[in-house]
Amino acid sequence: MAESMTTDDKPSALRRKAGAGRPPPEIGAPTATKLLRAAIMQAAQDMAGLTVVAGQPSEDRITLEPLVEAVPPHGLMALVEGPAGRYGLVLLDPDVIAALIEVQTTGKVVPKPAAPRTPTRTDAIMCADFIDRMLELLETKATEAGLDIAPTLEGHRYALALPEAGAIPMTLEDIPYRQFRVGVDIAGGAKRGEMQVVLPFDPLPAQMKETGHARSDPPGFARALEGQVNASHAELRATLHRVEMTLAEAMALVEGDLIPVPAEALARVAVEDIHGGLVCHARLGQSEGQRAIRIDIDGLPGTAEVGTASIGVAASKAGPSLVQPRDTQGALPDPLADPGDVPDFGALDDFELPGLDESMDLAALELGQAQENFC
């Protein structure tokens, strides 16, 4: 006959049954993926007060070609710079971007997927602190844990946002990279997204740490690069003057109407890049029978010595651009007013003020010439 179990024996028996067949609990050794998961969640809380639950990251070895293909549509491509000029990437999909921006601007995350759109420079700036904090925490945690890959994680911080995936091969070295991919649940399921951290796979060699250069250029590389850069095409636009008017006023214009242009605009032609950013100022003149501009190098940044540059333009392209001005200085000038003194270009060799016939006043240009730019 089996002996009856005493009251004192029951708890111990239950404990044995509950643990039967189970190995003793173990705390796993820290890995880069575990530390990255923790870094993401802590960085979101530290920098944006955002609750993020990160999934288990995957870790792969990758090269540039498949990396370009892994860029999410409408995602942010944040270039991160490391020691000795080596670069990596942090890729955020639209939902991660939207969540970071929404919580910083409105204090909450909108519970719906983000609308697809190309990230702006402002978007990148608002995500930069989160990126830096995440990389800082990952670096610190990996160093404290003594991970072998800790040297590859050192010192990477946000540098700038790349405009398109095609810029990745032109910016990053053609070397192997370590790619972490992780899904994230944001603000209790309000949004779900994915992010990637891509850093050089191998640590920086000791020699490169000492010299501060990530790569040594082959003989003649600098000369060949200079030749390529000097032969590159750069598109600039010379804007004589901008006029502000309502749409109704613009639609009421007919050929023969005059658009006022102040005389001082001849000496303050705006040389702009393709995005409308001001590069420098120039003076209007002519060279070899064509209208041209002479660049004023006094305010040209990063230029030690620049010769006279004259840009030929057809006479029919010389009309003003009817674009909203960046800085409107008072009311429009009176088209019948005296243009005043004309800038003296006589001292410039082979560079004179354009000849103006009887039908063209110094203070105005015919609308017929302006319409090509306007349309």
PDB file of all heavy atoms in Angstrom, residues 167-207:
ATOM      1  N   ALA A 167      22.720  57.207 -55.276  1.00  0.00           N
ATOM      2  CA  ALA A 167      23.869  57.882 -54.671  1.00  0.00           C
ATOM      3  C   ALA A 167      24.651  56.969 -53.739  1.00  0.00           C
ATOM      4  O   ALA A 167      25.774  57.296 -53.351  1.00  0.00           O
ATOM      5  CB  ALA A 167      23.397  59.119 -53.900  1.00  0.00           C
ATOM      6  N   ILE A 168      24.095  55.821 -53.378  1.00  0.00           N
ATOM      7  CA  ILE A 168      24.765  54.931 -52.424  1.00  0.00           C
ATOM      8  C   ILE A 168      26.085  54.397 -52.982  1.00  0.00           C
ATOM      9  O   ILE A 168      27.126  54.482 -52.312  1.00  0.00           O
ATOM     10  CB  ILE A 168      23.824  53.783 -52.012  1.00  0.00           C
ATOM     11  CG1 ILE A 168      22.646  54.337 -51.202  1.00  0.00           C
ATOM     12  CG2 ILE A 168      24.578  52.725 -51.206  1.00  0.00           C
ATOM     13  CD1 ILE A 168      21.618  53.288 -50.811  1.00  0.00           C
ATOM     14  N   PRO A 169      26.122  53.830 -54.216  1.00  0.00           N
ATOM     15  CA  PRO A 169      27.406  53.326 -54.723  1.00  0.00           C
ATOM     16  C   PRO A 169      28.441  54.424 -54.928  1.00  0.00           C
ATOM     17  O   PRO A 169      29.643  54.140 -54.939  1.00  0.00           O
ATOM     18  CB  PRO A 169      27.021  52.677 -56.057  1.00  0.00           C
ATOM     19  CG  PRO A 169      25.557  52.446 -55.987  1.00  0.00           C
ATOM     20  CD  PRO A 169      25.017  53.543 -55.142  1.00  0.00           C
ATOM     21  N   MET A 170      28.002  55.661 -55.109  1.00  0.00           N
ATOM     22  CA  MET A 170      28.945  56.761 -55.307  1.00  0.00           C
ATOM     23  C   MET A 170      29.477  57.305 -53.991  1.00  0.00           C
ATOM     24  O   MET A 170      30.432  58.079 -53.982  1.00  0.00           O
ATOM     25  CB  MET A 170      28.279  57.891 -56.107  1.00  0.00           C
ATOM     26  CG  MET A 170      27.865  57.485 -57.505  1.00  0.00           C
ATOM     27  SD  MET A 170      27.279  58.873 -58.497  1.00  0.00           S
ATOM     28  CE  MET A 170      25.797  59.324 -57.601  1.00  0.00           C
ATOM     29  N   THR A 171      28.862  56.910 -52.874  1.00  0.00           N
ATOM     30  CA  THR A 171      29.234  57.450 -51.569  1.00  0.00           C
ATOM     31  C   THR A 171      29.932  56.422 -50.696  1.00  0.00           C
ATOM     32  O   THR A 171      30.913  56.740 -50.028  1.00  0.00           O
ATOM     33  CB  THR A 171      27.980  57.965 -50.837  1.00  0.00           C
ATOM     34  OG1 THR A 171      27.260  58.849 -51.696  1.00  0.00           O
ATOM     35  CG2 THR A 171      28.355  58.718 -49.574  1.00  0.00           C
ATOM     36  N   LEU A 172      29.448  55.202 -50.708  1.00  0.00           N
ATOM     37  CA  LEU A 172      30.012  54.162 -49.861  1.00  0.00           C
ATOM     38  C   LEU A 172      31.106  53.392 -50.600  1.00  0.00           C
ATOM     39  O   LEU A 172      31.042  53.224 -51.826  1.00  0.00           O
ATOM     40  CB  LEU A 172      28.927  53.187 -49.407  1.00  0.00           C
ATOM     41  CG  LEU A 172      28.187  53.550 -48.108  1.00  0.00           C
ATOM     42  CD1 LEU A 172      27.389  54.829 -48.280  1.00  0.00           C
ATOM     43  CD2 LEU A 172      27.264  52.408 -47.683  1.00  0.00           C
ATOM     44  N   GLU A 173      32.094  52.920 -49.850  1.00  0.00           N
ATOM     45  CA  GLU A 173      33.138  52.079 -50.421  1.00  0.00           C
ATOM     46  C   GLU A 173      32.549  50.747 -50.876  1.00  0.00           C
ATOM     47  O   GLU A 173      31.575  50.257 -50.308  1.00  0.00           O
ATOM     48  CB  GLU A 173      34.227  51.800 -49.388  1.00  0.00           C
ATOM     49  CG  GLU A 173      35.071  52.986 -49.000  1.00  0.00           C
ATOM     50  CD  GLU A 173      36.164  52.551 -48.029  1.00  0.00           C
ATOM     51  OE1 GLU A 173      37.217  52.088 -48.512  1.00  0.00           O
ATOM     52  OE2 GLU A 173      35.948  52.660 -46.816  1.00  0.00           O
ATOM     53  N   ASP A 174      33.174  50.171 -51.875  1.00  0.00           N
ATOM     54  CA  ASP A 174      32.753  48.866 -52.374  1.00  0.00           C
ATOM     55  C   ASP A 174      33.411  47.766 -51.532  1.00  0.00           C
ATOM     56  O   ASP A 174      34.347  47.097 -51.955  1.00  0.00           O
ATOM     57  CB  ASP A 174      33.131  48.717 -53.844  1.00  0.00           C
ATOM     58  CG  ASP A 174      32.485  47.484 -54.478  1.00  0.00           C
ATOM     59  OD1 ASP A 174      31.617  46.867 -53.817  1.00  0.00           O
ATOM     60  OD2 ASP A 174      32.855  47.133 -55.614  1.00  0.00           O
ATOM     61  N   ILE A 175      32.898  47.613 -50.322  1.00  0.00           N
ATOM     62  CA  ILE A 175      33.407  46.630 -49.364  1.00  0.00           C
ATOM     63  C   ILE A 175      32.217  45.884 -48.772  1.00  0.00           C
ATOM     64  O   ILE A 175      31.072  46.313 -48.933  1.00  0.00           O
ATOM     65  CB  ILE A 175      34.215  47.313 -48.231  1.00  0.00           C
ATOM     66  CG1 ILE A 175      33.335  48.343 -47.485  1.00  0.00           C
ATOM     67  CG2 ILE A 175      35.475  47.972 -48.777  1.00  0.00           C
ATOM     68  CD1 ILE A 175      34.015  48.971 -46.283  1.00  0.00           C
ATOM     69  N   PRO A 176      32.451  44.776 -48.074  1.00  0.00           N
ATOM     70  CA  PRO A 176      31.320  44.095 -47.423  1.00  0.00           C
ATOM     71  C   PRO A 176      30.764  44.928 -46.266  1.00  0.00           C
ATOM     72  O   PRO A 176      31.503  45.643 -45.577  1.00  0.00           O
ATOM     73  CB  PRO A 176      31.942  42.788 -46.910  1.00  0.00           C
ATOM     74  CG  PRO A 176      33.195  42.616 -47.693  1.00  0.00           C
ATOM     75  CD  PRO A 176      33.691  43.984 -47.994  1.00  0.00           C
ATOM     76  N   TYR A 177      29.456  44.797 -46.055  1.00  0.00           N
ATOM     77  CA  TYR A 177      28.790  45.527 -44.975  1.00  0.00           C
ATOM     78  C   TYR A 177      27.986  44.552 -44.123  1.00  0.00           C
ATOM     79  O   TYR A 177      27.547  43.497 -44.590  1.00  0.00           O
ATOM     80  CB  TYR A 177      27.870  46.610 -45.536  1.00  0.00           C
ATOM     81  CG  TYR A 177      28.632  47.768 -46.142  1.00  0.00           C
ATOM     82  CD1 TYR A 177      29.051  47.731 -47.470  1.00  0.00           C
ATOM     83  CD2 TYR A 177      28.952  48.890 -45.384  1.00  0.00           C
ATOM     84  CE1 TYR A 177      29.765  48.776 -48.024  1.00  0.00           C
ATOM     85  CE2 TYR A 177      29.664  49.949 -45.931  1.00  0.00           C
ATOM     86  CZ  TYR A 177      30.072  49.881 -47.244  1.00  0.00           C
ATOM     87  OH  TYR A 177      30.793  50.921 -47.777  1.00  0.00           O
ATOM     88  N   ARG A 178      27.781  44.938 -42.872  1.00  0.00           N
ATOM     89  CA  ARG A 178      26.939  44.180 -41.948  1.00  0.00           C
ATOM     90  C   ARG A 178      25.581  44.864 -41.908  1.00  0.00           C
ATOM     91  O   ARG A 178      25.471  46.037 -41.546  1.00  0.00           O
ATOM     92  CB  ARG A 178      27.563  44.156 -40.556  1.00  0.00           C
ATOM     93  CG  ARG A 178      26.917  43.168 -39.597  1.00  0.00           C
ATOM     94  CD  ARG A 178      27.556  43.284 -38.226  1.00  0.00           C
ATOM     95  NE  ARG A 178      29.001  43.184 -38.287  1.00  0.00           N
ATOM     96  CZ  ARG A 178      29.681  42.037 -38.202  1.00  0.00           C
ATOM     97  NH1 ARG A 178      29.018  40.909 -38.044  1.00  0.00           N
ATOM     98  NH2 ARG A 178      30.992  42.033 -38.264  1.00  0.00           N
ATOM     99  N   GLN A 179      24.550  44.128 -42.291  1.00  0.00           N
ATOM    100  CA  GLN A 179      23.194  44.693 -42.385  1.00  0.00           C
ATOM    101  C   GLN A 179      22.302  44.110 -41.287  1.00  0.00           C
ATOM    102  O   GLN A 179      22.125  42.900 -41.188  1.00  0.00           O
ATOM    103  CB  GLN A 179      22.585  44.393 -43.753  1.00  0.00           C
ATOM    104  CG  GLN A 179      21.170  44.911 -43.936  1.00  0.00           C
ATOM    105  CD  GLN A 179      20.485  44.285 -45.143  1.00  0.00           C
ATOM    106  OE1 GLN A 179      20.590  43.077 -45.369  1.00  0.00           O
ATOM    107  NE2 GLN A 179      19.798  45.106 -45.919  1.00  0.00           N
ATOM    108  N   PHE A 180      21.765  44.990 -40.460  1.00  0.00           N
ATOM    109  CA  PHE A 180      20.764  44.609 -39.464  1.00  0.00           C
ATOM    110  C   PHE A 180      19.399  45.097 -39.949  1.00  0.00           C
ATOM    111  O   PHE A 180      19.254  46.270 -40.309  1.00  0.00           O
ATOM    112  CB  PHE A 180      21.064  45.238 -38.106  1.00  0.00           C
ATOM    113  CG  PHE A 180      22.383  44.838 -37.501  1.00  0.00           C
ATOM    114  CD1 PHE A 180      23.486  45.665 -37.616  1.00  0.00           C
ATOM    115  CD2 PHE A 180      22.509  43.637 -36.819  1.00  0.00           C
ATOM    116  CE1 PHE A 180      24.698  45.304 -37.047  1.00  0.00           C
ATOM    117  CE2 PHE A 180      23.720  43.263 -36.249  1.00  0.00           C
ATOM    118  CZ  PHE A 180      24.819  44.101 -36.371  1.00  0.00           C
ATOM    119  N   ARG A 181      18.415  44.235 -39.936  1.00  0.00           N
ATOM    120  CA  ARG A 181      17.036  44.595 -40.274  1.00  0.00           C
ATOM    121  C   ARG A 181      16.142  44.252 -39.090  1.00  0.00           C
ATOM    122  O   ARG A 181      16.255  43.154 -38.526  1.00  0.00           O
ATOM    123  CB  ARG A 181      16.540  43.866 -41.526  1.00  0.00           C
ATOM    124  CG  ARG A 181      17.380  44.095 -42.762  1.00  0.00           C
ATOM    125  CD  ARG A 181      16.800  43.412 -43.979  1.00  0.00           C
ATOM    126  NE  ARG A 181      15.615  44.109 -44.463  1.00  0.00           N
ATOM    127  CZ  ARG A 181      15.298  44.196 -45.755  1.00  0.00           C
ATOM    128  NH1 ARG A 181      16.059  43.627 -46.681  1.00  0.00           N
ATOM    129  NH2 ARG A 181      14.217  44.847 -46.115  1.00  0.00           N
ATOM    130  N   VAL A 182      15.261  45.186 -38.736  1.00  0.00           N
ATOM    131  CA  VAL A 182      14.415  44.943 -37.578  1.00  0.00           C
ATOM    132  C   VAL A 182      13.054  45.610 -37.783  1.00  0.00           C
ATOM    133  O   VAL A 182      12.962  46.748 -38.222  1.00  0.00           O
ATOM    134  CB  VAL A 182      15.099  45.474 -36.288  1.00  0.00           C
ATOM    135  CG1 VAL A 182      15.486  46.923 -36.424  1.00  0.00           C
ATOM    136  CG2 VAL A 182      14.219  45.249 -35.071  1.00  0.00           C
ATOM    137  N   GLY A 183      12.005  44.858 -37.483  1.00  0.00           N
ATOM    138  CA  GLY A 183      10.663  45.416 -37.509  1.00  0.00           C
ATOM    139  C   GLY A 183      10.338  46.054 -36.170  1.00  0.00           C
ATOM    140  O   GLY A 183      10.800  45.599 -35.118  1.00  0.00           O
ATOM    141  N   VAL A 184       9.546  47.111 -36.203  1.00  0.00           N
ATOM    142  CA  VAL A 184       9.213  47.831 -34.974  1.00  0.00           C
ATOM    143  C   VAL A 184       7.707  48.071 -34.888  1.00  0.00           C
ATOM    144  O   VAL A 184       7.047  48.334 -35.892  1.00  0.00           O
ATOM    145  CB  VAL A 184       9.966  49.181 -34.888  1.00  0.00           C
ATOM    146  CG1 VAL A 184      11.457  48.956 -34.708  1.00  0.00           C
ATOM    147  CG2 VAL A 184       9.718  50.040 -36.130  1.00  0.00           C
ATOM    148  N   ASP A 185       7.209  47.945 -33.674  1.00  0.00           N
ATOM    149  CA  ASP A 185       5.819  48.275 -33.358  1.00  0.00           C
ATOM    150  C   ASP A 185       5.858  49.594 -32.583  1.00  0.00           C
ATOM    151  O   ASP A 185       6.517  49.697 -31.549  1.00  0.00           O
ATOM    152  CB  ASP A 185       5.183  47.163 -32.524  1.00  0.00           C
ATOM    153  CG  ASP A 185       3.733  47.445 -32.192  1.00  0.00           C
ATOM    154  OD1 ASP A 185       3.493  48.312 -31.312  1.00  0.00           O
ATOM    155  OD2 ASP A 185       2.847  46.820 -32.778  1.00  0.00           O
ATOM    156  N   ILE A 186       5.142  50.604 -33.082  1.00  0.00           N
ATOM    157  CA  ILE A 186       5.281  51.962 -32.546  1.00  0.00           C
ATOM    158  C   ILE A 186       3.991  52.400 -31.871  1.00  0.00           C
ATOM    159  O   ILE A 186       2.902  52.266 -32.434  1.00  0.00           O
ATOM    160  CB  ILE A 186       5.637  52.938 -33.683  1.00  0.00           C
ATOM    161  CG1 ILE A 186       6.894  52.446 -34.422  1.00  0.00           C
ATOM    162  CG2 ILE A 186       5.858  54.346 -33.152  1.00  0.00           C
ATOM    163  CD1 ILE A 186       7.166  53.172 -35.717  1.00  0.00           C
ATOM    164  N   ALA A 187       4.142  52.937 -30.668  1.00  0.00           N
ATOM    165  CA  ALA A 187       3.027  53.514 -29.914  1.00  0.00           C
ATOM    166  C   ALA A 187       1.851  52.546 -29.799  1.00  0.00           C
ATOM    167  O   ALA A 187       0.712  52.876 -30.128  1.00  0.00           O
ATOM    168  CB  ALA A 187       2.582  54.826 -30.551  1.00  0.00           C
ATOM    169  N   GLY A 188       2.146  51.337 -29.347  1.00  0.00           N
ATOM    170  CA  GLY A 188       1.087  50.360 -29.113  1.00  0.00           C
ATOM    171  C   GLY A 188       0.355  49.933 -30.361  1.00  0.00           C
ATOM    172  O   GLY A 188      -0.851  49.669 -30.316  1.00  0.00           O
ATOM    173  N   GLY A 189       1.054  49.848 -31.476  1.00  0.00           N
ATOM    174  CA  GLY A 189       0.437  49.402 -32.725  1.00  0.00           C
ATOM    175  C   GLY A 189      -0.118  50.505 -33.587  1.00  0.00           C
ATOM    176  O   GLY A 189      -0.734  50.223 -34.626  1.00  0.00           O
ATOM    177  N   ALA A 190       0.070  51.772 -33.197  1.00  0.00           N
ATOM    178  CA  ALA A 190      -0.410  52.875 -34.037  1.00  0.00           C
ATOM    179  C   ALA A 190       0.245  52.827 -35.408  1.00  0.00           C
ATOM    180  O   ALA A 190      -0.383  53.144 -36.430  1.00  0.00           O
ATOM    181  CB  ALA A 190      -0.125  54.218 -33.362  1.00  0.00           C
ATOM    182  N   LYS A 191       1.511  52.456 -35.440  1.00  0.00           N
ATOM    183  CA  LYS A 191       2.223  52.269 -36.711  1.00  0.00           C
ATOM    184  C   LYS A 191       3.178  51.094 -36.558  1.00  0.00           C
ATOM    185  O   LYS A 191       3.671  50.802 -35.463  1.00  0.00           O
ATOM    186  CB  LYS A 191       3.003  53.531 -37.094  1.00  0.00           C
ATOM    187  CG  LYS A 191       2.164  54.637 -37.719  1.00  0.00           C
ATOM    188  CD  LYS A 191       3.032  55.799 -38.159  1.00  0.00           C
ATOM    189  CE  LYS A 191       2.250  56.806 -39.004  1.00  0.00           C
ATOM    190  NZ  LYS A 191       1.133  57.408 -38.307  1.00  0.00           N
ATOM    191  N   ARG A 192       3.439  50.416 -37.673  1.00  0.00           N
ATOM    192  CA  ARG A 192       4.418  49.338 -37.715  1.00  0.00           C
ATOM    193  C   ARG A 192       5.336  49.589 -38.898  1.00  0.00           C
ATOM    194  O   ARG A 192       4.869  49.870 -39.994  1.00  0.00           O
ATOM    195  CB  ARG A 192       3.741  47.966 -37.845  1.00  0.00           C
ATOM    196  CG  ARG A 192       2.998  47.523 -36.598  1.00  0.00           C
ATOM    197  CD  ARG A 192       2.432  46.119 -36.764  1.00  0.00           C
ATOM    198  NE  ARG A 192       1.860  45.623 -35.514  1.00  0.00           N
ATOM    199  CZ  ARG A 192       0.624  45.839 -35.110  1.00  0.00           C
ATOM    200  NH1 ARG A 192      -0.193  46.560 -35.875  1.00  0.00           N
ATOM    201  NH2 ARG A 192       0.192  45.354 -33.957  1.00  0.00           N
ATOM    202  N   GLY A 193       6.626  49.496 -38.649  1.00  0.00           N
ATOM    203  CA  GLY A 193       7.570  49.782 -39.714  1.00  0.00           C
ATOM    204  C   GLY A 193       8.800  48.909 -39.625  1.00  0.00           C
ATOM    205  O   GLY A 193       8.859  47.941 -38.855  1.00  0.00           O
ATOM    206  N   GLU A 194       9.795  49.270 -40.420  1.00  0.00           N
ATOM    207  CA  GLU A 194      11.049  48.531 -40.442  1.00  0.00           C
ATOM    208  C   GLU A 194      12.195  49.516 -40.582  1.00  0.00           C
ATOM    209  O   GLU A 194      12.063  50.567 -41.213  1.00  0.00           O
ATOM    210  CB  GLU A 194      11.093  47.537 -41.601  1.00  0.00           C
ATOM    211  CG  GLU A 194      12.354  46.685 -41.616  1.00  0.00           C
ATOM    212  CD  GLU A 194      12.455  45.789 -42.837  1.00  0.00           C
ATOM    213  OE1 GLU A 194      12.763  46.300 -43.929  1.00  0.00           O
ATOM    214  OE2 GLU A 194      12.241  44.565 -42.683  1.00  0.00           O
ATOM    215  N   MET A 195      13.313  49.188 -39.992  1.00  0.00           N
ATOM    216  CA  MET A 195      14.515  49.998 -40.137  1.00  0.00           C
ATOM    217  C   MET A 195      15.714  49.090 -40.351  1.00  0.00           C
ATOM    218  O   MET A 195      15.680  47.901 -40.002  1.00  0.00           O
ATOM    219  CB  MET A 195      14.714  50.900 -38.921  1.00  0.00           C
ATOM    220  CG  MET A 195      14.715  50.212 -37.590  1.00  0.00           C
ATOM    221  SD  MET A 195      14.806  51.387 -36.219  1.00  0.00           S
ATOM    222  CE  MET A 195      16.405  52.134 -36.542  1.00  0.00           C
ATOM    223  N   GLN A 196      16.752  49.658 -40.946  1.00  0.00           N
ATOM    224  CA  GLN A 196      17.974  48.914 -41.216  1.00  0.00           C
ATOM    225  C   GLN A 196      19.170  49.731 -40.742  1.00  0.00           C
ATOM    226  O   GLN A 196      19.185  50.955 -40.863  1.00  0.00           O
ATOM    227  CB  GLN A 196      18.128  48.639 -42.715  1.00  0.00           C
ATOM    228  CG  GLN A 196      16.984  47.875 -43.337  1.00  0.00           C
ATOM    229  CD  GLN A 196      17.176  47.690 -44.834  1.00  0.00           C
ATOM    230  OE1 GLN A 196      18.277  47.400 -45.311  1.00  0.00           O
ATOM    231  NE2 GLN A 196      16.108  47.877 -45.591  1.00  0.00           N
ATOM    232  N   VAL A 197      20.156  49.035 -40.215  1.00  0.00           N
ATOM    233  CA  VAL A 197      21.437  49.644 -39.857  1.00  0.00           C
ATOM    234  C   VAL A 197      22.503  48.903 -40.647  1.00  0.00           C
ATOM    235  O   VAL A 197      22.628  47.675 -40.542  1.00  0.00           O
ATOM    236  CB  VAL A 197      21.712  49.542 -38.345  1.00  0.00           C
ATOM    237  CG1 VAL A 197      23.085  50.123 -38.012  1.00  0.00           C
ATOM    238  CG2 VAL A 197      20.617  50.263 -37.556  1.00  0.00           C
ATOM    239  N   VAL A 198      23.263  49.645 -41.447  1.00  0.00           N
ATOM    240  CA  VAL A 198      24.263  49.055 -42.338  1.00  0.00           C
ATOM    241  C   VAL A 198      25.606  49.709 -42.036  1.00  0.00           C
ATOM    242  O   VAL A 198      25.781  50.909 -42.252  1.00  0.00           O
ATOM    243  CB  VAL A 198      23.884  49.259 -43.815  1.00  0.00           C
ATOM    244  CG1 VAL A 198      24.919  48.607 -44.724  1.00  0.00           C
ATOM    245  CG2 VAL A 198      22.485  48.710 -44.100  1.00  0.00           C
ATOM    246  N   LEU A 199      26.563  48.914 -41.558  1.00  0.00           N
ATOM    247  CA  LEU A 199      27.892  49.415 -41.199  1.00  0.00           C
ATOM    248  C   LEU A 199      28.957  48.518 -41.821  1.00  0.00           C
ATOM    249  O   LEU A 199      28.687  47.350 -42.140  1.00  0.00           O
ATOM    250  CB  LEU A 199      28.051  49.441 -39.676  1.00  0.00           C
ATOM    251  CG  LEU A 199      27.060  50.329 -38.901  1.00  0.00           C
ATOM    252  CD1 LEU A 199      27.251  50.136 -37.399  1.00  0.00           C
ATOM    253  CD2 LEU A 199      27.202  51.788 -39.292  1.00  0.00           C
ATOM    254  N   PRO A 200      30.171  49.042 -42.028  1.00  0.00           N
ATOM    255  CA  PRO A 200      31.246  48.205 -42.589  1.00  0.00           C
ATOM    256  C   PRO A 200      31.406  46.902 -41.811  1.00  0.00           C
ATOM    257  O   PRO A 200      31.365  46.891 -40.578  1.00  0.00           O
ATOM    258  CB  PRO A 200      32.485  49.092 -42.469  1.00  0.00           C
ATOM    259  CG  PRO A 200      31.951  50.490 -42.533  1.00  0.00           C
ATOM    260  CD  PRO A 200      30.624  50.438 -41.811  1.00  0.00           C
ATOM    261  N   PHE A 201      31.589  45.801 -42.535  1.00  0.00           N
ATOM    262  CA  PHE A 201      31.635  44.485 -41.899  1.00  0.00           C
ATOM    263  C   PHE A 201      32.922  44.287 -41.105  1.00  0.00           C
ATOM    264  O   PHE A 201      32.914  43.748 -40.002  1.00  0.00           O
ATOM    265  CB  PHE A 201      31.509  43.384 -42.955  1.00  0.00           C
ATOM    266  CG  PHE A 201      31.259  42.021 -42.390  1.00  0.00           C
ATOM    267  CD1 PHE A 201      29.967  41.577 -42.170  1.00  0.00           C
ATOM    268  CD2 PHE A 201      32.313  41.184 -42.061  1.00  0.00           C
ATOM    269  CE1 PHE A 201      29.724  40.323 -41.630  1.00  0.00           C
ATOM    270  CE2 PHE A 201      32.087  39.926 -41.525  1.00  0.00           C
ATOM    271  CZ  PHE A 201      30.789  39.490 -41.307  1.00  0.00           C
ATOM    272  N   ASP A 202      34.030  44.716 -41.683  1.00  0.00           N
ATOM    273  CA  ASP A 202      35.325  44.513 -41.035  1.00  0.00           C
ATOM    274  C   ASP A 202      35.742  45.764 -40.278  1.00  0.00           C
ATOM    275  O   ASP A 202      35.466  46.886 -40.704  1.00  0.00           O
ATOM    276  CB  ASP A 202      36.388  44.163 -42.075  1.00  0.00           C
ATOM    277  CG  ASP A 202      36.063  42.863 -42.798  1.00  0.00           C
ATOM    278  OD1 ASP A 202      35.699  41.892 -42.114  1.00  0.00           O
ATOM    279  OD2 ASP A 202      36.162  42.828 -44.046  1.00  0.00           O
ATOM    280  N   PRO A 203      36.447  45.595 -39.155  1.00  0.00           N
ATOM    281  CA  PRO A 203      36.905  46.765 -38.395  1.00  0.00           C
ATOM    282  C   PRO A 203      37.956  47.543 -39.158  1.00  0.00           C
ATOM    283  O   PRO A 203      38.605  47.023 -40.070  1.00  0.00           O
ATOM    284  CB  PRO A 203      37.480  46.140 -37.109  1.00  0.00           C
ATOM    285  CG  PRO A 203      37.838  44.751 -37.487  1.00  0.00           C
ATOM    286  CD  PRO A 203      36.836  44.322 -38.514  1.00  0.00           C
ATOM    287  N   LEU A 204      38.133  48.778 -38.761  1.00  0.00           N
ATOM    288  CA  LEU A 204      39.128  49.634 -39.382  1.00  0.00           C
ATOM    289  C   LEU A 204      40.521  49.145 -39.011  1.00  0.00           C
ATOM    290  O   LEU A 204      40.824  48.982 -37.825  1.00  0.00           O
ATOM    291  CB  LEU A 204      38.923  51.075 -38.899  1.00  0.00           C
ATOM    292  CG  LEU A 204      39.667  52.185 -39.634  1.00  0.00           C
ATOM    293  CD1 LEU A 204      39.149  52.325 -41.047  1.00  0.00           C
ATOM    294  CD2 LEU A 204      39.504  53.495 -38.880  1.00  0.00           C
ATOM    295  N   PRO A 205      41.401  48.892 -40.005  1.00  0.00           N
ATOM    296  CA  PRO A 205      42.763  48.449 -39.678  1.00  0.00           C
ATOM    297  C   PRO A 205      43.489  49.469 -38.809  1.00  0.00           C
ATOM    298  O   PRO A 205      43.240  50.666 -38.896  1.00  0.00           O
ATOM    299  CB  PRO A 205      43.431  48.318 -41.054  1.00  0.00           C
ATOM    300  CG  PRO A 205      42.296  48.127 -42.009  1.00  0.00           C
ATOM    301  CD  PRO A 205      41.162  48.926 -41.443  1.00  0.00           C
ATOM    302  N   ALA A 206      44.408  48.978 -37.977  1.00  0.00           N
ATOM    303  CA  ALA A 206      45.125  49.847 -37.051  1.00  0.00           C
ATOM    304  C   ALA A 206      45.893  50.935 -37.781  1.00  0.00           C
ATOM    305  O   ALA A 206      45.966  52.077 -37.330  1.00  0.00           O
ATOM    306  CB  ALA A 206      46.074  49.004 -36.199  1.00  0.00           C
ATOM    307  N   GLN A 207      46.461  50.602 -38.952  1.00  0.00           N
ATOM    308  CA  GLN A 207      47.226  51.596 -39.709  1.00  0.00           C
ATOM    309  C   GLN A 207      46.332  52.745 -40.151  1.00  0.00           C
ATOM    310  O   GLN A 207      46.718  53.903 -40.114  1.00  0.00           O
ATOM    311  CB  GLN A 207      47.874  50.936 -40.920  1.00  0.00           C
ATOM    312  CG  GLN A 207      48.698  51.911 -41.776  1.00  0.00           C
ATOM    313  CD  GLN A 207      49.281  51.228 -42.991  1.00  0.00           C
ATOM    314  OE1 GLN A 207      49.061  50.044 -43.207  1.00  0.00           O
ATOM    315  NE2 GLN A 207      50.030  51.970 -43.785  1.00  0.00           N
TER     316      GLN A 207
END
